[in-house]
Amino acid sequence: MIRYTEEELFQLKPVSDLPVNFDAEEFRAIIDKVKEIQELQEEEYQQFHRRRSSHHHGRPKIKHLKPKITTDADGWSTFEAPVVRRKSTVVGAGSDDEVAVKEPVVIAQETLKVKPNNKNIASTRPADTRDIVADKPTMNFNAFAALESDEEDVED
Amino acid sequence: MSVEEVTQKTEDLNINESTVLSDKDFQLKHPLNTKWTLWYTKPPVDKSESWSDLLRPVTSFKTVEEFWAIHNAIPKPRYLPFKSDYHLFREDIRPEWEDPTNAQGGKWTYQFKGKTPEIDDLWMRSLLAVIGETIDEDDSEINGVVTNVRKNGYKIAIWTKSADNKEALTRIGSKFKTVLKLGEEAQLEFFPHSTASEKHPQPSLVL
């Protein structure tokens, strides 16, 4: 068996390029053409078939802070305004802004009291059980009867 | 004849300094053990193209000088488009596991993940080891050598005639590992072609 080591094969490497027995130009042209087509296909794919997030459909995800609402035993809900986040800023050393940043941030703790359950206003149900008592017609007092009563005359 | 006369006659001799080696048309060529054929798998650019359309022989050679001429004339693996393959196979063996010479054999394979800037050099070293017959000490167990160019990296594989001669295959695998400059931690795997149609074939040998 004829064998050549790697070194021997390197020693036999011709200094100048020898002619080959096939059309190397055409072979290289085929490869260049395939590369060109692949690049076009890749470009087209990127343009029209780019994978999108199935969750957001391309829209940016914006996180809304939910307002904190607490409801007391009487059915009154308290709405607490969310604390506004301070944006981080780059300030120069010793500037007035830096001093301002270091000052304690006073966040207004104002609360708004709102009557909840708007749906109940439009409905036939009373919003508050106490209203049931208040709205109940009183049979003990009759205004017309009072006008005609003898008690006033007595007072006069 | 006097000494002076002999000296004179010798000087008058017209020695033709040119030999057969100085003839430009004469080129001494170093024969290889067998003929080798280079095949190329063109990536599909049209859905109508079948495997047989894509796999084509490029050229054949029998000498060291012809090998170098071809090697210098064709694009190196790093230049090839994705899904391209180069196959160098002995004689007229087709680079397919269905070929009768390959059917009972297998392949030692290694995948280089990522860009692998040294792939051209590793491919050339593999070619030299195969055509120089230094990777196989005993007999012509080697059928060919293949490189696959893919998006996620490159593969280089040596195809063997048999898949059950564990001793010979282990020797070939060890040398192949050296040729590919693989460290101890790298795993070279041998897959018999009989498992080629399986979904997740397991290597029968690992080095």
Side-chain angles (χ1 to χ4, degrees), chain A residues 6-69:
Chain A
E6 193 179 303
E7 290 73 29
E8 286 169 339
L9 288 167
F10 270 115
Q11 281 169 9
L12 296 171
K13 189 177 181 180
V15 180
S16 57
D17 286 345
L18 298 173
V20 289
N21 55 356
F22 70 102
D23 193 344
E25 282 294 325
E26 193 191 338
F27 182 66
R28 282 197 295 265
I30 291 169
I31 285 169
D32 286 340
K33 188 73 188 166
V34 172
K35 282 186 89 168
E36 195 183 314
I37 292 168
Q38 276 190 351
E39 278 166 19
L40 283 171
Q41 285 175 341
E42 181 68 23
E43 203 175 300
E44 190 184 11
Y45 183 83
Q46 290 291 335
Q47 201 172 352
F48 298 109
H49 302 276
R50 195 167 60 186
R51 290 184 75 181
R52 291 181 177 207
S53 161
S54 59
H55 186 62
H56 301 106
H57 300 284
R59 272 181 279 169
K61 189 178 180 181
I62 300 164
K63 192 180 178 184
H64 295 284
L65 292 172
K66 284 183 183 173
K68 193 179 176 185
I69 298 171

Side-chain angles (χ1 to χ4, degrees), chain B residues 181-197:
Chain B
K181 298 179 178 177
L182 298 177
E184 283 297 315
E185 73 289 346
Q187 282 200 337
L188 192 67
E189 295 175 321
F190 184 84
F191 295 92
H193 292 316
S194 54
T195 64
S197 54

Side-chain angles (χ1 to χ4, degrees), chain A residues 3-4 21 28 32 35 38, chain B residues 31 59 73 79 82 133 137:
Chain A
R3 295 180 197 274
Y4 298 94
N21 55 356
R28 282 197 295 265
D32 286 340
K35 282 186 89 168
Q38 276 190 351
Chain B
T59 186
Y79 185 78
F82 298 129
E133 310 279 1
E137 280 179 1

Side-chain angles (χ1 to χ4, degrees), chain A residues 6, chain B residues 122 125-126 129 135 171-184 188 207:
Chain A
E6 193 179 303
Chain B
L122 296 173
R125 283 170 60 89
S126 305
I135 205 159
R171 274 199 302 273
I172 292 167
S174 301
K175 285 199 173 181
F176 188 37
K177 215 171 166 180
T178 312
V179 167
L180 295 180
K181 298 179 178 177
L182 298 177
E184 283 297 315
L188 192 67
L207 280 179

